[in-house]
Amino acid sequence: SQQGEEDPQALSIQEGENATMNCSYKTSINNLQWYRQNSGRGLVHLILIRSNEREKHSGRLRVTLDTSKKSSSLLITASRAADTASYFCAGVPTNYGGSQGNLIFGKGTKLSVKP
Amino acid sequence: KAGVTQTPRYLIKTRGQQVTLSCSPISGHRSVSWYQQTPGQGLQFLFEYFSETQRNKGNFPGRFSGRQFSNSRSEMNVSTLELGDSALYLCASSFLSGRESYEQYFGPGTRLTVT
């Protein structure tokens, strides 16, 4: 079962606005990754942040990680209609292996960006 | 480099039948993982193969099985299909396996419908 929770579950904004999605997880992780999924298709890797990093930027994306609170946030600045998708956080558990596998996914945030 | 490919893309089967899904990883990637995605349970880890060996297995019944070939291509099989097996099955490949895994590259998925 999943051990990550994204918040909010759904987010609707206008083009040009910023979108912030939060993720909380239960298990200790080695690194945390964010993925995007367009409707019913495969996931695309966006960014990876290691457990010893607090913040990372990539283009219009900014990710923060707070290991003490077991939480992460993804900020998309100046959003575009093409950013409409579901966004998932996924952690590589420190006790990697077993039934957890190599990535534990949250339930995702469905982002809708209106033109 | 060609991406991860999955065949078939869509499949309709009847309860009680069995099905085999195929995944070809990115060239040079030796780790292949399988995930099941449903609206209710989200993304759940099925199993991971690395160099033809199953490294991890998720909490799925024995009806779900898989294998990996020497060229890293992987197949998963579901026997005695149930209605609840209707889902998007995603395959992902990565160069490394284990705690230091980097991002995973996902295929477009196979949409399985069981009637």
Side-chain angles (χ1 to χ4, degrees):
Chain A
S1 62
Q2 293 165 301
Q3 292 195 35
E5 291 285 337
E6 276 92 342
D7 169 49
Q9 290 186 3
L11 180 62
S12 182
I13 58 175
Q14 295 292 132
E15 242 182 344
E17 293 181 338
N18 295 341
T20 300
M21 289 160 268
N22 302 298
C23 162
S24 60
Y25 52 91
K26 296 178 184 176
T27 194
S28 295
I29 58 167
N30 203 45
N31 67 57
L32 188 131
Q33 306 174 30
W34 284 88
Y35 288 82
R36 183 187 74 213
Q37 183 180 37
N38 288 83
S39 182
R41 306 191 69 177
L43 281 76
V44 174
H45 182 265
L46 295 175
I47 194 166
L48 180 153
I49 184 165
R50 297 200 173 280
S51 57
N52 61 354
E53 297 177 304
R54 291 295 170 259
E55 189 171 310
K56 199 162 183 180
H57 296 254
S58 177
R60 294 184 296 113
L61 305 180
R62 173 180 165 248
V63 169
T64 62
L65 181 63
D66 187 332
T67 53
S68 65
K69 293 181 180 178
K70 292 188 175 176
S71 66
S72 173
S73 69
L74 170 68
L75 168 68
I76 304 174
T77 59
S79 62
R80 306 165 182 167
D83 294 329
T84 295
S86 290
Y87 291 81
F88 296 88
C89 68
V92 176
T94 53
N95 58 340
Y96 166 86
S99 62
Q100 290 187 113
N102 45 11
L103 275 182
I104 304 174
F105 282 90
K107 289 200 169 187
T109 292
K110 199 166 187 177
L111 174 66
S112 175
V113 182
K114 299 184 189 315
Chain B
K1 260 185 188 179
V4 177
T5 58
Q6 291 186 246
T7 56
R9 292 292 311 280
Y10 302 92
L11 207 48
I12 299 175
K13 288 286 189 178
T14 305
R15 264 185 308 176
Q17 288 185 316
Q18 75 163 14
V19 66
T20 299
L21 312 182
S22 181
C23 170
S24 293
I26 290 173
S27 178
H29 285 191
R30 291 191 293 164
S31 169
V32 174
S33 298
W34 289 88
Y35 297 86
Q36 181 197 64
Q37 185 177 30
T38 60
Q41 297 299 316
L43 279 150
Q44 296 191 89
F45 170 74
L46 279 158
F47 23 67
E48 181 198 5
Y49 287 89
F50 184 81
S51 295
E52 301 179 67
T53 301
Q54 186 181 82
R55 289 206 63 177
N56 305 298
K57 190 177 193 303
N59 292 321
F60 279 81
R63 300 185 296 107
F64 291 81
S65 62
R67 58 178 176 169
Q68 187 180 35
F69 302 95
S70 58
N71 62 358
S72 292
R73 191 176 71 84
S74 176
E75 287 181 348
M76 68 162 280
N77 184 275
V78 188
S79 62
T80 319
L81 284 166
E82 300 177 0
L83 295 178
D85 297 332
S86 294
L88 180 67
Y89 289 87
L90 293 163
C91 161
S93 76
S94 64
F95 180 67
L96 296 173
S97 176
R99 196 169 291 117
E100 295 304 315
S101 293
Y102 289 91
E103 64 268 22
Q104 299 209 12
Y105 294 84
F106 282 80
T110 294
R111 172 75 62 186
L112 171 65
T113 302
V114 182
T115 62

